[in-house]
Amino acid sequence: MSSLPAALIQSLQNLKGFDEEAFKAVHQSGGQITSVRLNPGKLKIENSQQGPAEKLKIEGAVPWSSNGYYLQERPSFTLDPLFHAGAYYVQEASSMFLEEALKQTVDLTKPVKILDLCAAPGGKSTLIQSLISADSLLVSNEVIKTRVNILAENITKWGAANVIVTNNDPKDFQRLQNYFDVIVVDAPCSGSGLFRKDPNAINEWSENNVSLCAHRQQRIIADIILSLKDGGVLIYSTCSYSKAEDEEIADWLTGELKVESVQLKVEESWGIVETISDKSGSFGYRFYPDKVKGEGFFMAAFKKPESLVAITEGKSHPSATLRKKVKNKQVFTVNEIEAVKPFLVNADSYFFIKQHEAVIAMPLYLENDLTIIQSALYIKKAGVRLGTIIRNELIPAHDLAVSNIIDPSIPKLDVDTETALQYLRKVDITIESVIKGWVLITHQDLPIGWIKILANRANNYYPAAWRILNK
Ligand code: SAM
């Protein structure tokens, strides 16, 4: 491993919790930690030591997460059908602290609107989705077009209907003034916190890049602060150790944007270091890999005061104006609705829209919000894509197969690992079944996709773009 940048080590010298010797030793050790977060929408967490999660060889729980677990070793996730079923997300353990930050600052029993601004590939978004109530909304945004596909894929596998994936620049969110209860900014950063995981990143690090990142972080937050409700919560995080991207951003936030720092409770045994920023005394939470079982990370929570007249004055884009611009919804025939309903559990709790030929389902209580977001942002994906209706018959979409809204009485065929992998490679599989028509292929009872069983063969409907390529 290349040695850590001297300028970085120098800049950390006086920071609370920084122990140069232990910090260098943990980077030199080459030790790797693998952790996953189980999907409570799909797996029963009390069964984490048995059943579907057993194969993962769980070593122990991530202390600040209710669904996060360390693994004894890193398996080939690609060769685990449950990974493709969205049963869990492979996530670095420190990042899971977002759960604590949200639980301690937001009443998650109530419906909330949350924006995850820098969301790809979807680690924080899938975590947020597992925490919010069914009548809450998560807007999961990624500005970079090439990264939004993997975000949409991970959200699809997670299976929930109360998520909208958007592909917008932070400044576009100014059209949604005073709209979100919570905004999570997991900012692009200089990445020093991931040096142990990715030693090649060491050569990319420079003081100049830290400074560029710090300016970009300020710009991003300044762009979206208008869309946070008065009284709303802002969670800011980076995977950088640099004060310029962490505590100094907290100082800038409280100084320039007048948000208030929120102190979080952390158990001493977790090894997380609470820092207090120089200028404003804002609280920050540092994760050093020699103190926690996880990678380098920083998180801070803020509250927007009830009234921030100085900043928001004159920049209003009320949602009501936006609503008027939306075209009338497409109308479905009774037969079309009847074709869709048998596939859904609680079908009456959704509304349906057509996007090109596809039918999408979203929870009824999000109808207004979809209209508002549609008029302000570019939507990559909303709710659950159910499929296409042809001659009053639904050709079901993959999204429906892996969603949590599918009717549990849909015919299923549970297959072993080898057959599941053949299916995921999009190879034809041999099925002996008396059932005909659309059937869900499941592995350990979790759906991985559709097949259509005909008189003498079964057609594999796994999405070609997602098929696994290794043998
Ligand atoms: N939250 C993600 C997760 O947990 O899986 C990781 C996010 S990563 C740290 C930062 C993200 O910010 C990247 O996906 C990157 O494409 C995006 N990004 C880059 N430049 C940005 C900008 N100017 N504004 C907003 N997001 C940006």
Side-chain angles (χ1 to χ4, degrees), residues 89 91 95 116-125 141-144 147 168-170 186-189 216 219-220 237-239:
Y89 190 95
Q91 186 174 39
S95 307
D116 183 9
L117 183 72
C118 312
K124 308 281 182 314
S125 280
N141 178 71
E142 170 58 42
V143 63
I144 298 181
R147 287 172 60 81
N168 283 85
D169 189 277
D186 187 31
C189 70
R216 182 169 56 186
R219 208 170 53 238
I220 290 173
S237 60
T238 71
C239 55

Side-chain angles (χ1 to χ4, degrees), residues 19-249:
D19 174 344
E20 182 173 341
E21 212 172 298
F23 184 81
K24 282 183 170 168
V26 82
H27 282 84
Q28 287 305 328
S29 75
Q32 294 289 336
I33 297 166
T34 304
S35 46
V36 299
R37 196 168 29 74
L38 305 185
N39 183 346
K42 298 200 176 196
L43 282 182
K44 292 278 164 284
I45 303 308
E46 60 268 27
N47 290 341
S48 63
Q49 301 296 345
Q50 42 178 302
E54 189 189 4
K55 275 201 292 194
L56 289 172
K57 295 205 182 129
I58 284 169
E59 188 179 65
V62 176
W64 44 84
S65 160
S66 42
N67 302 324
Y69 295 91
Y70 297 108
L71 304 188
Q72 291 164 24
E73 57 195 49
R74 190 176 181 89
S76 166
F77 292 112
T78 308
L79 296 181
D80 180 7
L82 296 181
F83 173 71
H84 303 277
Y88 58 88
Y89 190 95
V90 184
Q91 186 174 39
E92 192 286 298
S94 303
S95 307
M96 299 181 196
F97 184 67
L98 176 60
E99 173 172 342
E100 274 298 317
L102 287 172
K103 281 183 172 167
Q104 292 186 32
T105 54
V106 183
D107 182 354
L108 295 167
T109 60
K110 296 209 174 115
V112 284
K113 291 195 245 299
I114 301 198
L115 167 64
D116 183 9
L117 183 72
C118 312
K124 308 281 182 314
S125 280
T126 51
L127 187 156
I128 296 166
Q129 197 290 320
S130 300
L131 292 174
I132 57 179
S133 61
D135 49 0
S136 294
L137 169 68
L138 168 62
V139 175
S140 182
N141 178 71
E142 170 58 42
V143 63
I144 298 181
K145 216 176 174 154
T146 50
R147 287 172 60 81
V148 80
N149 286 336
I150 184 68
L151 173 63
E153 181 177 331
N154 283 327
I155 296 292
T156 296
K157 284 183 188 162
W158 209 245
N162 58 350
V163 186
I164 299 179
V165 177
T166 58
N167 176 207
N168 283 85
D169 189 277
K171 67 176 174 333
D172 298 340
F173 286 83
Q174 291 176 12
R175 300 179 199 133
L176 293 174
Q177 192 195 323
N178 230 340
Y179 183 75
F180 293 102
D181 300 285
V182 183
I183 298 184
V184 174
V185 179
D186 187 31
C189 70
S190 62
S192 47
L194 299 181
F195 281 170
R196 178 168 58 161
K197 239 183 153 88
D198 177 16
N200 293 332
I202 295 177
N203 301 325
E204 318 257 303
W205 189 91
S206 70
E207 283 174 296
N208 191 33
N209 193 35
V210 169
S211 161
L212 284 174
C213 287
H215 283 110
R216 182 169 56 186
Q217 286 148 1
Q218 290 181 2
R219 208 170 53 238
I220 290 173
I221 305 169
D223 280 345
I224 50 91
I225 198 73
L226 284 173
S227 61
L228 184 62
K229 275 185 192 163
D230 295 343
V233 169
L234 172 71
I235 311 274
Y236 173 77
S237 60
T238 71
C239 55
S240 163
Y241 299 109
S242 295
K243 202 168 148 184
E245 298 177 75
D246 298 342
E247 285 84 358
E248 287 176 15
I249 294 290

Side-chain angles (χ1 to χ4, degrees), residues 422-441:
Q422 285 294 88
Y423 174 78
L424 293 165
R425 290 182 182 112
K426 206 168 164 59
V427 171
D428 283 338
I429 52 174
T430 313
I431 297 289
E432 279 179 27
S433 163
V434 287
I435 316 167
K436 296 280 174 279
W438 292 108
V439 173
L440 274 178
I441 291 289

